Amino acid sequence: MKVYLITIGDEILIGQIVDTNSAWMGQQLNLNGAHITGIMTVSDEAESIVQALEQGLRFADVILMTGGLGPTKDDVTKKVLAEFTGGRLSFHEPTYRRIERFFKQLGRQPTEAHRLQSYMPDNATLLTNPMGTAPGMWFEVDGKVIVSMPGVPYEMKALMQKEVLPRLKAQYPLERIAHRTLLTAGEGESRIAERIADLEDALPPHIKLAYLPNLGRVRLRLSSRGSQSDQYQDELEQWANRFKERVEDLLFGEEEDRLEAVVGQMLKARGLWLSTAESCTGGYLSHLITSIPGSSAYFLGGIVAYSNIVKQEKLGVRTATLETDGAVSEATVREMVAGTLQHFGGDIAVAVSGIAGPGGGTPEKPVGTIWLAVGDHNMTEAYLLKAGKDREKNIEYTGAHALNFIRRFLKKHYPASLANG
């Protein structure tokens, strides 16, 4: 089943709101074996809606639309759909009575606009909206289906789950689809692609690999489509295991795992306490760590040592180090780790110092030069991260690399076999 998604609303086009409806519908449809052929957002104008409908019918079996079903004059979707499908609007008494009951529960009376809202296309099958006043509409046109739903996300979701998806499953044969997602950190998309090129080339036609990069991380999604048997699921699992073995050193989790949660689990399992010293990230790394419920079981705290004075007075970074090597240097982050361990008395510390930008760079240390260090009371490891020129991205990129550095340090020096519990 091929599906085309249309969202209607000037508020989406001008960036006043974000279209979350398409993302959610796409996810649900994919899980049910549907193939999304396109997504389009159009204005609240009849001509734009008609053009979107014509395009959707060229590329798909089903069009799912959201928006434009309210009681105000700018909501023209019903009128356009009635004309487009060869129907006409007529007053629908059950819809009006339902609106009356809805407002009676609120102690109010419906307006004339709500009465006008009760005019429905006479060639549509109306779908009960349990969360609002506007029903969904199901049209059949030359063997294809057009469904119109309200743009309010919780109303659309209720209609999709209770009405639309069950009807689509009954009318169209849906392929079986399964996904396995591997989560990696520490290498870019192109280097991972080189490492697994032979495995990717050997994949059978019904299994596809997608690279989904993010700052400091890459998701590898294996998808199997087209089988009604459990055999393909087993095969997908076997291929996922082969890819996992190939990227084992980069792999930090699967599916919806978060790197900060994985690091927290590793620290907790080993009975270790972590503390942070941050310069260029300004507390962002500590925010990531403490965004995980239960992080108080392994995180002591952090110091935002943004100025050299704080680096010296709170972390014990030597004046000679700052004068000779600079605040952004391997020597400085190593001393920041030592000072953090002394200040908090924990087991593991991480330190970052860099030039996030957009200014402050030099020919020797351009914007995006960032030093990281992780250590305990016996050893400290450091490395240079070369990021870009965008300040916000550099901070996020550094946060991801710092978390992965902690993960690698724990894996190397505190093996799981030695973990407490």
Side-chain angles (χ1 to χ4, degrees):
M1 177 180 65
K2 296 180 179 180
V3 182
Y4 196 87
L5 304 179
I6 301 173
T7 55
I8 301 170
D10 293 336
E11 67 275 13
I12 300 172
L13 291 171
I14 65 174
Q16 194 172 30
I17 66 169
V18 176
D19 172 26
T20 59
N21 284 348
S22 295
W24 186 87
M25 287 192 292
Q27 181 185 53
Q28 297 302 309
L29 290 162
N30 178 262
L31 290 173
N32 284 278
H35 177 55
I36 313 300
T37 61
I39 299 174
M40 181 182 289
T41 300
V42 299
S43 66
D44 297 293
E45 296 179 351
E47 183 178 356
S48 297
I49 296 172
V50 169
Q51 289 175 350
L53 287 167
E54 291 174 342
Q55 178 158 318
L57 290 176
R58 285 200 299 270
F59 296 107
D61 309 301
V62 176
I63 295 177
L64 299 184
M65 306 173 62
T66 60
L69 298 183
T72 55
K73 292 182 179 179
D74 63 330
D75 294 311
V76 300
T77 302
K78 278 190 303 184
K79 184 175 183 296
V80 172
L81 280 169
E83 294 176 356
F84 186 83
T85 58
R88 62 184 181 85
L89 294 178
S90 60
F91 184 74
H92 191 251
E93 185 74 24
T95 295
Y96 184 69
R97 295 306 171 202
R98 189 169 179 278
I99 292 174
E100 276 190 320
R101 291 193 298 271
F102 179 84
F103 280 98
K104 185 176 181 180
Q105 293 175 349
L106 302 176
R108 296 160 52 190
Q109 293 292 322
T111 66
E112 180 59 24
H114 290 110
R115 185 174 183 83
L116 293 175
Q117 188 183 19
S118 301
Y119 280 80
M120 308 300 297
D122 60 3
N123 60 336
T125 299
L126 301 185
L127 309 177
T128 301
N129 178 358
M131 303 298 291
T133 59
M137 296 176 291
W138 177 289
F139 299 86
E140 306 234 356
V141 182
D142 298 328
K144 297 190 176 185
V145 170
I146 301 172
V147 182
S148 176
M149 294 171 284
V152 180
Y154 63 81
E155 294 187 30
M156 175 276 295
K157 290 178 182 179
L159 275 165
M160 281 287 292
Q161 291 169 334
K162 294 181 180 297
E163 294 277 3
V164 179
L165 284 173
R167 289 171 180 267
L168 291 177
K169 290 178 183 178
Q171 186 157 332
Y172 290 94
L174 297 177
E175 294 178 309
R176 183 171 182 176
I177 187 168
H179 298 296
R180 282 299 311 274
T181 303
L182 310 181
L183 309 176
T184 71
E187 287 283 11
E189 178 183 6
S190 59
R191 290 188 178 275
I192 293 176
E194 288 180 358
R195 189 188 292 202
I196 61 177
D198 60 320
L199 290 179
E200 185 175 2
D201 290 341
L203 284 171
H206 55 274
I207 297 180
K208 304 295 182 184
L209 172 66
Y211 297 84
L212 307 170
N214 199 350
L215 290 172
R217 286 154 288 192
V218 178
R219 287 187 294 163
L220 303 176
R221 189 188 67 214
L222 288 162
S223 302
S224 174
R225 177 188 292 271
S227 173
Q228 297 297 324
S229 69
D230 292 333
Q231 179 183 350
Y232 276 52
Q233 179 68 49
D234 294 339
E235 185 182 19
L236 182 65
E237 189 69 27
Q238 293 170 9
W239 277 102
N241 289 334
R242 294 178 66 180
F243 278 91
K244 284 166 64 175
E245 290 176 3
R246 187 66 62 86
V247 298
E248 191 273 337
D249 57 316
L250 307 177
L251 189 71
F252 70 83
E254 300 181 36
E255 307 311 329
E256 300 301 322
D257 288 339
R258 293 171 58 187
L259 182 54
E260 49 266 43
V262 170
V263 169
Q265 291 165 3
M266 294 176 71
L267 288 164
K268 187 174 181 179
R270 290 157 174 77
L272 300 174
W273 289 92
L274 172 71
S275 53
T276 62
E278 302 180 64
S279 183
C280 62
T281 48
Y284 177 71
L285 176 57
S286 296
H287 159 70
L288 291 175
I289 295 167
T290 56
S291 69
I292 303 302
S295 54
S296 59
Y298 50 82
F299 183 65
L300 289 170
I303 292 178
V304 178
Y306 210 69
S307 72
N308 284 350
I309 294 175
V310 176
K311 291 181 178 72
Q312 292 170 294
E313 294 184 354
K314 300 297 181 182
L315 297 177
V317 176
R318 296 178 302 157
T319 301
T321 300
L322 294 171
E323 291 177 349
T324 303
D325 298 280
V328 180
S329 66
E330 179 178 358
T332 293
V333 292
R334 284 180 175 273
E335 291 184 20
M336 288 171 69
V337 165
T340 306
L341 288 169
Q342 183 175 359
H343 181 87
F344 287 101
D347 304 294
I348 306 287
V350 57
V352 297
S353 185
I355 305 168
T362 66
E364 295 77 21
K365 297 179 181 180
V367 170
T369 301
I370 298 163
W371 275 98
L372 302 93
V374 174
D376 58 18
H377 293 280
N378 299 313
M379 70 196 85
T380 299
E381 298 178 356
Y383 80 95
L384 175 63
L385 176 65
K386 295 183 179 180
K389 296 183 178 181
D390 184 282
R391 182 180 184 82
E392 184 175 345
K393 289 183 179 178
N394 285 346
I395 291 172
E396 294 180 18
Y397 190 58
T398 303
H401 274 270
L403 287 169
N404 193 51
F405 198 4
I406 299 168
R407 181 189 70 84
R408 286 166 39 208
F409 186 88
L410 293 173
K411 190 174 180 180
K412 178 180 178 182
H413 300 293
Y414 294 84
S417 58
L418 301 180
N420 295 336

